[in-house]
Amino acid sequence: MSDKLQALETALDAFSTVPSLEEMPRRTLADKGIDGPTAAHVIEEVHTPFNLAYLTFTTGSSAFQNIVGVVHSEISGRCAVARTLFEKLGSGPHAKMLVTYPPLANVFAADALRDCGVEWNFLRRSSRDALIVQACQEQPKIILGESSFLRASLEQATKMGLKDEMPKGAILLTAGTPLDQELLPVADGYGYSVHDLYGCQEFGWLTLDGVPLRDDITLAPSPRGDGYREFVVGGLPMGDSFVISKTGHVCNPEGKIITYRRERTYPEYEVVVLATTAHAANTVEKASRTILRIKGRVVKVARDIQTNAPATKLALVPGVPANEVEDFEPIVIEGPVATKLFDDIVQAQTDLQKSAKTDPAWIKGR
């Protein structure tokens, strides 16, 4: 090796501000708060951009499990939802929560759970036996999991003569699939309360027992019929329609959104941005592509979009040719409250554009 090359290598090792692989920051499963086993995944390291708070995946209930990105500007909203949720549960500070499926913690965001002082952990193995053992040993205040799995586990504990060793007065927080109503009498036999939590990886938790947990939720008319409403979060449609009932949710008569009677919306709505608080239409166009890629929602920008508007204005339109939908008037959603989630993602795009790429491999020299 020449002296010049040796000197360059020495200077590179001593003064370079560009990290080696060993020096790169790492976001582990423990950092994300989901360091528990599942039989449905393989652990894979990826390069995650700094503009995302973390990566997660959809549940796969309606398609493949697809990548979801959560931007930093969403985290404060998820923290606020978590505070509201645990206040409604009345679980008290530093409550212990046993999570049966680690990705459910991603719907909260680890920062949200830490903000609420919740102590959470996971099954050592994803099985009913593991749930019974840990519930008896650790005595959690809250058990979070899919309702049929919880029902089967309680029934098994009873058959095994372990009912008296299970936690006293636990809260069963059901999520991930529509509520199995057969859980209710089984839980009642244990003296447990049951709560139905609805949400998704893309947008976080949205309702508890049919009551919204966010201020930016809109119930729009649904193609499913008069008895249904399309669920819209921050201006972005979920693709889910629910029965709205005056008699209320089975877990809370005050909850009018019957989340265990979900139907997929057809035709699904697309979003057209009519007005934005952003200074440039190009910023909204980039944010719209981001929403498609990390949230799976189709957002288009009107050719005559109004920029620098006092509030965002979005229109929901069916994602099919106009001749297939008779006499449809676009559903207009106006901010700032009702479009908060959309605005958060636009803000994330704005923030990204203010910072240059830091990897020199992407910087083109002259």
Side-chain angles (χ1 to χ4, degrees):
M1 183 183 295
S2 69
D3 291 344
K4 290 182 180 180
L5 185 57
Q6 180 68 55
L8 177 60
E9 183 181 25
T10 300
L12 175 65
D13 291 338
F15 304 112
S16 178
T17 58
V18 181
S20 67
L21 177 64
E22 293 74 23
E23 295 166 335
M24 284 182 66
R26 276 170 163 71
R27 184 181 297 138
T28 67
L29 291 177
D31 294 328
K32 293 170 66 173
I34 59 167
D35 47 331
T38 85
H41 302 89
V42 61
I43 298 173
E44 177 178 353
E45 290 186 285
V46 297
H47 288 86
T48 303
F50 285 114
N51 53 278
L52 292 180
Y54 63 91
L55 289 175
T56 183
F57 286 82
T58 60
T59 61
S61 60
S62 59
F64 265 39
Q65 289 184 271
N66 294 316
I67 294 174
V68 172
V70 178
V71 298
H72 294 279
S73 53
E74 293 180 71
I75 299 299
S76 62
R78 296 201 183 202
C79 287
V81 165
R83 287 192 294 270
T84 300
L85 168 62
F86 290 111
E87 286 173 4
K88 287 179 177 293
L89 292 180
S91 53
H94 306 293
K96 291 183 179 180
M97 181 168 69
L98 180 59
V99 183
T100 64
Y101 182 60
L104 291 175
N106 268 338
V107 188
F108 282 102
D111 285 346
L113 291 172
R114 296 184 186 114
D115 180 62
C116 293
V118 174
E119 300 174 15
W120 75 103
N121 67 340
F122 305 97
L123 301 182
R124 286 185 283 275
R125 298 181 184 276
S126 51
S127 69
R128 293 194 298 271
D129 290 342
L131 172 57
I132 294 169
V133 169
Q134 284 184 244
C136 292
Q137 290 177 341
E138 299 171 6
Q139 299 290 300
K141 180 65 175 178
I142 303 169
I143 302 176
L144 170 63
E146 189 268 331
S147 56
S148 293
F149 179 75
L150 297 182
R151 173 186 53 75
S153 298
L154 294 181
E155 291 173 340
Q156 182 171 321
T158 300
K159 292 177 182 177
M160 298 176 69
L162 294 171
K163 181 175 180 179
D164 291 340
E165 297 188 46
M166 292 288 283
K168 303 298 186 290
I171 298 169
L172 302 185
L173 195 53
T174 69
T177 57
L179 176 66
D180 177 355
Q181 295 183 57
E182 292 182 8
L183 169 63
L184 300 179
V186 177
D188 187 61
Y190 275 77
Y192 292 173
S193 61
V194 176
H195 294 279
D196 180 26
L197 190 57
Y198 166 75
C200 64
Q201 296 285 2
E202 296 95 315
F203 305 135
W205 298 120
L206 303 173
T207 70
L208 179 69
D209 301 335
V211 178
L213 292 169
R214 295 178 60 114
D215 294 332
D216 60 350
I217 289 174
T218 301
L219 298 174
S222 170
R224 280 284 177 180
D226 292 339
Y228 287 87
R229 289 293 183 272
E230 162 78 9
F231 208 95
V232 184
V233 186
L236 300 176
M238 292 283 297
D240 285 343
S241 291
F242 297 101
V243 170
I244 305 300
S245 172
K246 293 181 180 179
T247 58
H249 191 285
V250 67
C251 295
N252 179 6
E254 299 300 318
K256 306 305 180 187
I257 306 169
I258 311 305
T259 45
Y260 45 89
R261 291 186 60 187
R262 183 187 72 177
E263 296 286 349
R264 297 299 297 176
T265 304
Y266 183 81
E268 287 197 18
Y269 288 123
E270 296 179 354
V271 179
V272 178
V273 187
L274 305 177
T276 177
T277 57
H279 300 308
N282 181 256
T283 299
V284 182
E285 290 168 356
K286 291 179 178 178
S288 298
R289 288 193 290 272
T290 293
I291 290 170
L292 176 61
R293 291 164 180 166
I294 70 172
K295 304 297 185 185
R297 301 297 181 267
V298 178
V299 178
K300 300 177 180 178
V301 180
R303 291 184 178 180
D304 58 347
I305 182 175
Q306 177 189 356
T307 56
N308 294 307
T312 299
K313 184 182 293 186
L314 308 173
L316 304 188
V317 298
V320 296
N323 60 7
E324 293 188 24
V325 182
E326 297 180 0
D327 302 323
F328 181 83
E329 290 291 332
I331 300 166
V332 177
I333 298 176
E334 296 190 49
V337 174
T339 61
K340 184 180 185 306
L341 180 60
F342 176 83
D343 291 336
D344 283 346
I345 298 175
V346 172
Q347 183 60 52
Q349 178 63 45
T350 302
D351 294 342
L352 175 63
Q353 291 172 184
K354 293 177 181 177
S355 60
K357 283 187 171 70
T358 57
D359 191 334
W362 285 94
I363 299 173
K364 306 298 187 291
R366 295 176 185 170

